[in-house]
Every structure is written in structure tokens, then in C-alpha cells.
Amino acid sequence: MRILLDKLLVNYPYFAAMILFIIGAFTVMTRSNLFKKLIGINIMESAIFLMFIAAGNIRGGAVPILDEANPQAVYINPLPSALMLTGIVVSVSVTAFALALIIRLYQSYGTTDARRIAELRKR
Amino acid sequence: MTTTIEAHLPVFVVIMPLFVAFILPTFARRIRLVEGLVTATTVLGFLGAGYLASLVLIRNGNPISYSLGGWPAPWGIQLSVGDLSCLFLLMVASVSLPVALFAADNMTHEVGGPQRATRFYVLYLLLGGAMAGMAVTSDLFNVFVLVEVATLSCCGLVSSSNQPRAAEAAFNYLILATLGSALILGGIGFLYMITGHLNMGFASQELNRVWQDYPHVVWMALSFLLVGFGVKSALFPLHVWLPDAHSAAPSPASAILSGLAVKGYAICLIKVLFNVFGIALIRDLSMHRILTLLGMIAIIAGSLFALTQDKLKRRLAFSTVAQVGYIFLGLGLANSMSLTGTLFHMASHAVIKSGLFLAAGAIIAATGKDRISEMAGVGKKMPITMAVFTICSVSLVGIPLFSGFIGKWNLLLGSLEAGNRLAQAVIILGSVLCAGYLFPIIRVAYFEPAPAADWQDPGLPQKTALILLAAWVMILGAVPGPFLELAKRAALDLLVVK
């Protein structure tokens, strides 16, 4: 138990990411409101970004800019952060496209509830 | 000049469609020019893919590697073109050319207006570029970016007809596909955490050295990647988005989505599984058993669902679910025969399913009916379309002398080699079921009296596209030699223990 707790405390960013991921996935699966589904997707992606960036972090590491005065410095890994910038751009474009689709659906069905839309379509 | 082009060809086949896609909207008012540009791009892509294949053939299968921006491998993005990439590039090129021809004749009519048609072409070329990129890239993060480009353009293609039904299907597809890409990104993140590399070759070396220290992380990475790519390539329990999306899309879009897009993600999964994890690690983790099981379930369930559909395009869409099962089954059996079968079946299914969807599109456009039970007599009124449909169906079922047979035959030999009785039974049962859901369409079309309606074969460009695809099916079936050889060498390449 102690060991588990210690691990949890040391690796708290990963646990936070896991919890966020589960919240996001749960929202996507269970909510029928299209906006809430979209928010769930965004939460899930944030969880992945958090995990990725935490993987590049080194406790006590310096900003990754070469410092002549202090050559022994430990730098954090900048690559995951750079990659996640791309990830965020992708996630923003997905969100924009999904919002456009929601507008289209609202115009034709007058609702943003997925179940209601399925009912209306069958009629 | 030629050497410059030759040296940069691996990146050229990816960049060219993307570049043309971005300049297309400026010509939106001149739809003929747009169509000409798209056709020219696909022809150029075809030539490029063919030339690359010949280069690899001359180098005896040694992959051509290309460093983007001149940065060498562990730092920069590396493209590598081997047998597998060539096979997939040829497949993309040979399908996208006829589909572009078909779309040029019917797209303006199908989506309503040249403006919309231009948007369709932009997405079409983006998807083509992303597919080509998936074939040649050997960088994990690059895989994620290309997967995202492909996903967004697929969703856009589904909704390009602007019907409310299509928008709904596209939204569901988008949500599930984004879930899939989040999982893929997570899986890549786990791999990066333990290997410190994004280049597939380097990551693979590192992974095989250290994986025993982090068994849980390796499991997480594998399961995230499997589910992520599984959602995107419509592996059975995760296929729920596919029937709606593929049947609501305009016909050329469904042809390209069903024929190519799902295969693109499958190729990415193959690359990640065999080039990063490697066959030894897959066997150690019993991953091949899971893949085999999922494949078998997909074949049976997809075929059974297809049997119950009365709408033509939905039936074809469920048939794709079943055929994706064959691909995963072959991956799971993981010997040289089954992998050859999988790769060949992938290529032949791409051609066959595009042909089926385009023929279905032509029939639906001409008759205005989308139910199979209402298609009595189509075969007499639209002989060429229905002939192409028949050739493709017969080939998908796996009658000898047609291309579907060779893929399935190799899969069967692979399952014999693996000693998996159940897989043998499922492969054969899948073929029988496939006949069960495709042949009734042919029977209704040819042997039931035609109503007095004025249905006609589509115009010359559409007919050319259909005949091109049918010719591909026949050529792949009658003279499979070079393609089979390519698939065989790619399969052996995947099985090398690193």
C-alpha cells in the first residue's frame, strides 16, 4: 500500500492524465448532447497531451536553452512539448469541423441531441 | 534533372497531391480546370508510384530511404520506400485514378454545384496525399499527423453531399475517429516514453532491448494502438460508424473510403506492429492470437450483418467490415503465406470494393432506387455497369482466375501452415457468406423482369472508370505474378526478427 501511494505521489501527472482520460471517454460514450460529446473529446485529448508533456519533463531540469555559464545543467526534453503543439493544432481543427457539423445538424433538425436526431431521421 | 526527381520521388508522391489540393480552391469557378488538375495529379501519382516500384525492384527490395530536409534519421523525419510501401502506393494510385475519372463526370450532379465539387476534390487529394504519406513514412509522430489528415478529409468527404443524414453520419464518424486518434497518440506516447525515439527503426531496436523492464507500458502501448487503429480501420466491434458513413457519402467518396481509407490505417498498424514491436515481441505477448480471434469474429459478423441489409450501399459497407476481418486474420496468423495473402487481399479488395461502390453509385443515380429488392432488371438496362458489378462480386467471393481468389488462397495456405483449423473453416465460410450476400443482387438484376423505365448506362467517362477497375480485377487475377511477388517480399520483410 505504501509503495503504491509513493508511486502515485511521484507519478501524479500520469494519474491526473488517466483520470482526465476516463472522464473524457465516459462523457463521449454516455452523453447524447452533441456539444457534450465534443467537450468529452477535448478533455480526452488534453489528457493525452498532459501525459506526453509529463513524459518529457525532468524534475529540476532547466529550460532547454544552452547555457554556457552552467554546462552541467540537466535540460528537460523539449521534443514532447513541440509535438504536442502539433497535437493541439489538430485538436482545434477537429473541434472546428465538429462545430460546423453541429450547426448543420441544428439547422436541419432543430436540436443538438443525438438521440432525438436519430428519432427524427427514422420518421 | 532526372536524378534530382529520382532522388526526391519518395517525398514528391506525398507533397504533390497536398500541394494541388491547396491550390484547387483558387480555380473553383472553372470546374473543368479543377477536374483536369485532379486527373493529372492522379496520373502523375500513378507514374510516380510505378517508377518508385521499379526502382525498388532494381534495388532488389532494399528500401530507398529519404531524410526530410536533409536531417539524418534519429533527428529528422525519415521516409523509407520498400516493398510494402510500393505495394500500397500502387494500390492507392490504381484506385484513385478511376475514381477521379468517375467523379469528374458525376460529382457536380451528386453534391449539387461546382463549388461543392471543388471542395470534394480538395478533400479527395488531401486523402490521397495522406495515404501516400502513410505508405512511405517511417516516423511514429508522422504517422499520427497523417492519420489525422486522413481522418478529417474522410469526415469531410462523408459530409460533402450536405444532406442532413450525411452530416449526422460524419459527426458520429468524427467523434469515434477522434477517440481513435487520441488512443493512437497515447500509444505513440507510451512508446516514446520507453524508447526515446520516434523513428520506427531506432524505436524498434531500443524496444527490443528494454521491453522486459517495462512490460506494463508495452502492453498499454500495444492495446492503445490496436484499439485506435481498430476503430479507424473498422475492426468488428469498433465498426459502428462505418455503415452509416459509407452509405451516406457520395458514391465516389464511398468507393475511396471503403476501398482505400480503411486500408491506410491497416497499413499503419502493420508498420507499427511488425516494424516497431517486431514479430518476436508479438509472439511473446500472444498478440497474434488476439488479432486472429478478432479477425475471425469480424469475418462472420460482418458477413451476417451484410446478409440482412436491403439497401445496396449498406450491404457493400458491411461487406467491407467482413473483408477487414480477413486482413486482421492474416496478420494474426503471422507467417509468410498469410501475410502475403493479407497484403494481396488488401490490394485486390481495394480495387474490387471501389468497383462495386462505383457501379452501385451508377445504378442508384440512373434508377433513383437504393434498395436491392427494387433493382429487378437492371442488368438488361445497364449491361456494362452490371457486368462490372458481377465481375467484382465474383472476384470478391474468390472464384479462381479472379483477384480475390489469390489473396484468399494464400490466406488459406497460411492458416494450414499455422495449423489453425478454425481459421480455415472461417475463411471458407466467409467466402460462402460473401456469395450469399452478393449473388442475390446479381440474380435480381439479371433474372427478374425489368420494369418499363428508361434506365441507361452512365456516360463515357464513368463507363471508362468502371471498365478500368474491372480490367484491374481481371489483370490482378489472371497475371498476379509481379504483384504477388511484391506482396511476398513485403511479407518476408515484415517477418525478419530484429
Side-chain angles (χ1 to χ4, degrees), chain B residues 78-108:
Chain B
Q78 188 196 16
L79 307 181
S80 94
V81 187
D83 295 319
L84 180 68
S85 318
C86 282
L87 187 81
F88 190 64
L89 275 178
L90 278 176
M91 176 180 133
V92 172
S94 55
V95 172
S96 53
L97 178 59
V99 175
L101 270 180
F102 189 94
D105 198 31
N106 111 327
M107 212 52 217
T108 324

mmCIF file of all heavy atoms in Angstrom, chain B residues 78-108:
data_model
loop_
_atom_site.group_PDB
_atom_site.id
_atom_site.type_symbol
_atom_site.label_atom_id
_atom_site.label_comp_id
_atom_site.label_asym_id
_atom_site.label_seq_id
_atom_site.Cartn_x
_atom_site.Cartn_y
_atom_site.Cartn_z
ATOM 1 N N GLN B 78 12.232 10.408 -41.335
ATOM 2 C CA GLN B 78 12.774 9.562 -42.382
ATOM 3 C C GLN B 78 11.638 8.916 -43.154
ATOM 4 O O GLN B 78 10.685 8.416 -42.554
ATOM 5 C CB GLN B 78 13.655 8.485 -41.745
ATOM 6 C CG GLN B 78 14.414 7.688 -42.755
ATOM 7 C CD GLN B 78 14.952 6.401 -42.153
ATOM 8 O OE1 GLN B 78 14.529 5.976 -41.098
ATOM 9 N NE2 GLN B 78 15.872 5.791 -42.864
ATOM 10 N N LEU B 79 11.725 8.984 -44.479
ATOM 11 C CA LEU B 79 10.790 8.234 -45.299
ATOM 12 C C LEU B 79 11.536 7.017 -45.809
ATOM 13 O O LEU B 79 12.713 7.116 -46.158
ATOM 14 C CB LEU B 79 10.313 9.058 -46.492
ATOM 15 C CG LEU B 79 9.742 10.445 -46.214
ATOM 16 C CD1 LEU B 79 9.314 11.075 -47.524
ATOM 17 C CD2 LEU B 79 8.585 10.361 -45.268
ATOM 18 N N SER B 80 10.861 5.869 -45.839
ATOM 19 C CA SER B 80 11.558 4.756 -46.460
ATOM 20 C C SER B 80 10.584 3.990 -47.340
ATOM 21 O O SER B 80 9.458 3.699 -46.946
ATOM 22 C CB SER B 80 12.212 3.871 -45.404
ATOM 23 O OG SER B 80 11.400 2.816 -45.060
ATOM 24 N N VAL B 81 11.039 3.744 -48.560
ATOM 25 C CA VAL B 81 10.184 3.089 -49.549
ATOM 26 C C VAL B 81 10.713 1.693 -49.790
ATOM 27 O O VAL B 81 11.765 1.520 -50.403
ATOM 28 C CB VAL B 81 10.170 3.870 -50.877
ATOM 29 C CG1 VAL B 81 9.159 3.276 -51.818
ATOM 30 C CG2 VAL B 81 9.866 5.315 -50.629
ATOM 31 N N GLY B 82 9.999 0.712 -49.269
ATOM 32 C CA GLY B 82 10.368 -0.682 -49.511
ATOM 33 C C GLY B 82 9.269 -1.369 -50.292
ATOM 34 O O GLY B 82 8.432 -0.712 -50.914
ATOM 35 N N ASP B 83 9.257 -2.699 -50.228
ATOM 36 C CA ASP B 83 8.241 -3.450 -50.975
ATOM 37 C C ASP B 83 6.835 -3.127 -50.497
ATOM 38 O O ASP B 83 5.918 -2.951 -51.294
ATOM 39 C CB ASP B 83 8.500 -4.951 -50.833
ATOM 40 C CG ASP B 83 9.808 -5.352 -51.468
ATOM 41 O OD1 ASP B 83 10.095 -4.837 -52.560
ATOM 42 O OD2 ASP B 83 10.535 -6.154 -50.878
ATOM 43 N N LEU B 84 6.676 -3.053 -49.164
ATOM 44 C CA LEU B 84 5.347 -2.795 -48.604
ATOM 45 C C LEU B 84 4.820 -1.440 -49.065
ATOM 46 O O LEU B 84 3.674 -1.316 -49.504
ATOM 47 C CB LEU B 84 5.440 -2.846 -47.072
ATOM 48 C CG LEU B 84 4.151 -2.597 -46.306
ATOM 49 C CD1 LEU B 84 3.187 -3.736 -46.534
ATOM 50 C CD2 LEU B 84 4.425 -2.433 -44.836
ATOM 51 N N SER B 85 5.702 -0.415 -48.975
ATOM 52 C CA SER B 85 5.278 0.926 -49.377
ATOM 53 C C SER B 85 4.898 0.949 -50.846
ATOM 54 O O SER B 85 3.908 1.577 -51.225
ATOM 55 C CB SER B 85 6.404 1.926 -49.148
ATOM 56 O OG SER B 85 7.028 1.681 -47.939
ATOM 57 N N CYS B 86 5.700 0.247 -51.681
ATOM 58 C CA CYS B 86 5.423 0.252 -53.121
ATOM 59 C C CYS B 86 4.082 -0.383 -53.405
ATOM 60 O O CYS B 86 3.288 0.136 -54.199
ATOM 61 C CB CYS B 86 6.485 -0.523 -53.867
ATOM 62 S SG CYS B 86 7.944 0.426 -54.035
ATOM 63 N N LEU B 87 3.826 -1.519 -52.738
ATOM 64 C CA LEU B 87 2.553 -2.205 -52.946
ATOM 65 C C LEU B 87 1.410 -1.270 -52.624
ATOM 66 O O LEU B 87 0.447 -1.137 -53.383
ATOM 67 C CB LEU B 87 2.508 -3.438 -52.056
ATOM 68 C CG LEU B 87 1.329 -4.357 -52.277
ATOM 69 C CD1 LEU B 87 1.598 -5.239 -53.467
ATOM 70 C CD2 LEU B 87 1.067 -5.200 -51.056
ATOM 71 N N PHE B 88 1.526 -0.581 -51.478
ATOM 72 C CA PHE B 88 0.423 0.273 -51.048
ATOM 73 C C PHE B 88 0.289 1.499 -51.949
ATOM 74 O O PHE B 88 -0.821 1.904 -52.287
ATOM 75 C CB PHE B 88 0.633 0.678 -49.592
ATOM 76 C CG PHE B 88 -0.568 1.365 -49.010
ATOM 77 C CD1 PHE B 88 -1.750 0.680 -48.875
ATOM 78 C CD2 PHE B 88 -0.513 2.686 -48.625
ATOM 79 C CE1 PHE B 88 -2.863 1.306 -48.361
ATOM 80 C CE2 PHE B 88 -1.611 3.322 -48.108
ATOM 81 C CZ PHE B 88 -2.799 2.635 -47.976
ATOM 82 N N LEU B 89 1.441 2.063 -52.358
ATOM 83 C CA LEU B 89 1.396 3.227 -53.252
ATOM 84 C C LEU B 89 0.723 2.870 -54.569
ATOM 85 O O LEU B 89 -0.116 3.619 -55.085
ATOM 86 C CB LEU B 89 2.814 3.728 -53.534
ATOM 87 C CG LEU B 89 3.444 4.688 -52.529
ATOM 88 C CD1 LEU B 89 4.860 5.010 -52.961
ATOM 89 C CD2 LEU B 89 2.631 5.949 -52.439
ATOM 90 N N LEU B 90 1.096 1.710 -55.118
ATOM 91 C CA LEU B 90 0.490 1.283 -56.386
ATOM 92 C C LEU B 90 -1.005 1.108 -56.229
ATOM 93 O O LEU B 90 -1.789 1.485 -57.105
ATOM 94 C CB LEU B 90 1.114 -0.040 -56.844
ATOM 95 C CG LEU B 90 2.447 0.069 -57.561
ATOM 96 C CD1 LEU B 90 2.991 -1.307 -57.857
ATOM 97 C CD2 LEU B 90 2.270 0.843 -58.863
ATOM 98 N N MET B 91 -1.396 0.552 -55.045
ATOM 99 C CA MET B 91 -2.810 0.327 -54.781
ATOM 100 C C MET B 91 -3.559 1.657 -54.709
ATOM 101 O O MET B 91 -4.607 1.825 -55.342
ATOM 102 C CB MET B 91 -2.868 -0.416 -53.456
ATOM 103 C CG MET B 91 -4.184 -0.706 -52.896
ATOM 104 S SD MET B 91 -3.846 -1.581 -51.350
ATOM 105 C CE MET B 91 -4.935 -0.682 -50.297
ATOM 106 N N VAL B 92 -2.986 2.629 -53.999
ATOM 107 C CA VAL B 92 -3.628 3.941 -53.889
ATOM 108 C C VAL B 92 -3.770 4.561 -55.273
ATOM 109 O O VAL B 92 -4.836 5.039 -55.666
ATOM 110 C CB VAL B 92 -2.809 4.880 -52.977
ATOM 111 C CG1 VAL B 92 -3.366 6.284 -53.028
ATOM 112 C CG2 VAL B 92 -2.803 4.379 -51.560
ATOM 113 N N ALA B 93 -2.667 4.501 -56.047
ATOM 114 C CA ALA B 93 -2.679 5.158 -57.353
ATOM 115 C C ALA B 93 -3.655 4.484 -58.293
ATOM 116 O O ALA B 93 -4.414 5.162 -59.002
ATOM 117 C CB ALA B 93 -1.268 5.134 -57.933
ATOM 118 N N SER B 94 -3.676 3.138 -58.283
ATOM 119 C CA SER B 94 -4.517 2.459 -59.272
ATOM 120 C C SER B 94 -5.992 2.591 -58.939
ATOM 121 O O SER B 94 -6.831 2.426 -59.815
ATOM 122 C CB SER B 94 -4.125 0.986 -59.408
ATOM 123 O OG SER B 94 -4.169 0.371 -58.163
ATOM 124 N N VAL B 95 -6.337 2.878 -57.668
ATOM 125 C CA VAL B 95 -7.747 3.087 -57.355
ATOM 126 C C VAL B 95 -8.137 4.549 -57.538
ATOM 127 O O VAL B 95 -9.205 4.853 -58.053
ATOM 128 C CB VAL B 95 -8.066 2.612 -55.924
ATOM 129 C CG1 VAL B 95 -9.465 3.005 -55.540
ATOM 130 C CG2 VAL B 95 -7.907 1.118 -55.837
ATOM 131 N N SER B 96 -7.227 5.459 -57.154
ATOM 132 C CA SER B 96 -7.669 6.857 -57.154
ATOM 133 C C SER B 96 -7.814 7.412 -58.563
ATOM 134 O O SER B 96 -8.580 8.346 -58.779
ATOM 135 C CB SER B 96 -6.741 7.726 -56.311
ATOM 136 O OG SER B 96 -5.420 7.566 -56.694
ATOM 137 N N LEU B 97 -7.107 6.820 -59.545
ATOM 138 C CA LEU B 97 -7.251 7.303 -60.926
ATOM 139 C C LEU B 97 -8.658 7.050 -61.487
ATOM 140 O O LEU B 97 -9.336 8.003 -61.911
ATOM 141 C CB LEU B 97 -6.163 6.669 -61.799
ATOM 142 C CG LEU B 97 -6.182 7.026 -63.273
ATOM 143 C CD1 LEU B 97 -6.049 8.523 -63.458
ATOM 144 C CD2 LEU B 97 -5.063 6.319 -64.009
ATOM 145 N N PRO B 98 -9.162 5.804 -61.456
ATOM 146 C CA PRO B 98 -10.536 5.603 -61.967
ATOM 147 C C PRO B 98 -11.582 6.358 -61.157
ATOM 148 O O PRO B 98 -12.553 6.864 -61.747
ATOM 149 C CB PRO B 98 -10.752 4.089 -61.830
ATOM 150 C CG PRO B 98 -9.448 3.488 -61.590
ATOM 151 C CD PRO B 98 -8.532 4.520 -61.096
ATOM 152 N N VAL B 99 -11.379 6.440 -59.844
ATOM 153 C CA VAL B 99 -12.380 7.133 -59.031
ATOM 154 C C VAL B 99 -12.419 8.621 -59.407
ATOM 155 O O VAL B 99 -13.492 9.217 -59.492
ATOM 156 C CB VAL B 99 -12.107 6.940 -57.528
ATOM 157 C CG1 VAL B 99 -13.067 7.760 -56.702
ATOM 158 C CG2 VAL B 99 -12.243 5.488 -57.147
ATOM 159 N N ALA B 100 -11.242 9.203 -59.694
ATOM 160 C CA ALA B 100 -11.216 10.607 -60.115
ATOM 161 C C ALA B 100 -11.944 10.780 -61.446
ATOM 162 O O ALA B 100 -12.696 11.738 -61.644
ATOM 163 C CB ALA B 100 -9.780 11.096 -60.226
ATOM 164 N N LEU B 101 -11.729 9.821 -62.363
ATOM 165 C CA LEU B 101 -12.417 9.871 -63.659
ATOM 166 C C LEU B 101 -13.924 9.817 -63.472
ATOM 167 O O LEU B 101 -14.676 10.580 -64.080
ATOM 168 C CB LEU B 101 -11.998 8.672 -64.513
ATOM 169 C CG LEU B 101 -10.796 8.836 -65.420
ATOM 170 C CD1 LEU B 101 -10.556 7.540 -66.166
ATOM 171 C CD2 LEU B 101 -11.059 9.958 -66.398
ATOM 172 N N PHE B 102 -14.355 8.914 -62.587
ATOM 173 C CA PHE B 102 -15.777 8.742 -62.325
ATOM 174 C C PHE B 102 -16.355 10.010 -61.709
ATOM 175 O O PHE B 102 -17.405 10.496 -62.126
ATOM 176 C CB PHE B 102 -15.975 7.552 -61.384
ATOM 177 C CG PHE B 102 -17.402 7.141 -61.197
ATOM 178 C CD1 PHE B 102 -17.946 6.148 -61.982
ATOM 179 C CD2 PHE B 102 -18.191 7.733 -60.229
ATOM 180 C CE1 PHE B 102 -19.251 5.746 -61.813
ATOM 181 C CE2 PHE B 102 -19.503 7.338 -60.051
ATOM 182 C CZ PHE B 102 -20.039 6.348 -60.847
ATOM 183 N N ALA B 103 -15.624 10.559 -60.740
ATOM 184 C CA ALA B 103 -16.109 11.741 -60.020
ATOM 185 C C ALA B 103 -16.227 12.931 -60.962
ATOM 186 O O ALA B 103 -17.158 13.729 -60.860
ATOM 187 C CB ALA B 103 -15.180 12.072 -58.864
ATOM 188 N N ALA B 104 -15.278 13.043 -61.921
ATOM 189 C CA ALA B 104 -15.297 14.191 -62.827
ATOM 190 C C ALA B 104 -16.608 14.251 -63.586
ATOM 191 O O ALA B 104 -17.103 15.325 -63.923
ATOM 192 C CB ALA B 104 -14.128 14.077 -63.807
ATOM 193 N N ASP B 105 -17.189 13.059 -63.832
ATOM 194 C CA ASP B 105 -18.425 13.041 -64.607
ATOM 195 C C ASP B 105 -19.666 13.218 -63.743
ATOM 196 O O ASP B 105 -20.690 13.697 -64.214
ATOM 197 C CB ASP B 105 -18.504 11.717 -65.378
ATOM 198 C CG ASP B 105 -19.497 11.798 -66.511
ATOM 199 O OD1 ASP B 105 -19.652 12.904 -67.051
ATOM 200 O OD2 ASP B 105 -20.100 10.774 -66.836
ATOM 201 N N ASN B 106 -19.574 12.805 -62.445
ATOM 202 C CA ASN B 106 -20.835 12.768 -61.712
ATOM 203 C C ASN B 106 -20.882 13.642 -60.463
ATOM 204 O O ASN B 106 -21.928 13.837 -59.884
ATOM 205 C CB ASN B 106 -21.193 11.296 -61.436
ATOM 206 C CG ASN B 106 -21.119 10.878 -59.995
ATOM 207 O OD1 ASN B 106 -20.294 11.355 -59.230
ATOM 208 N ND2 ASN B 106 -21.988 9.992 -59.617
ATOM 209 N N MET B 107 -19.727 14.222 -60.062
ATOM 210 C CA MET B 107 -19.670 14.866 -58.754
ATOM 211 C C MET B 107 -20.532 16.117 -58.683
ATOM 212 O O MET B 107 -21.263 16.327 -57.726
ATOM 213 C CB MET B 107 -18.222 15.225 -58.458
ATOM 214 C CG MET B 107 -17.913 15.146 -57.008
ATOM 215 S SD MET B 107 -18.413 13.566 -56.363
ATOM 216 C CE MET B 107 -18.980 14.078 -54.789
ATOM 217 N N THR B 108 -20.431 16.968 -59.735
ATOM 218 C CA THR B 108 -21.194 18.215 -59.719
ATOM 219 C C THR B 108 -22.667 17.923 -59.537
ATOM 220 O O THR B 108 -23.376 18.594 -58.802
ATOM 221 C CB THR B 108 -20.986 18.966 -61.053
ATOM 222 O OG1 THR B 108 -19.646 18.750 -61.455
ATOM 223 C CG2 THR B 108 -21.241 20.426 -60.896
#
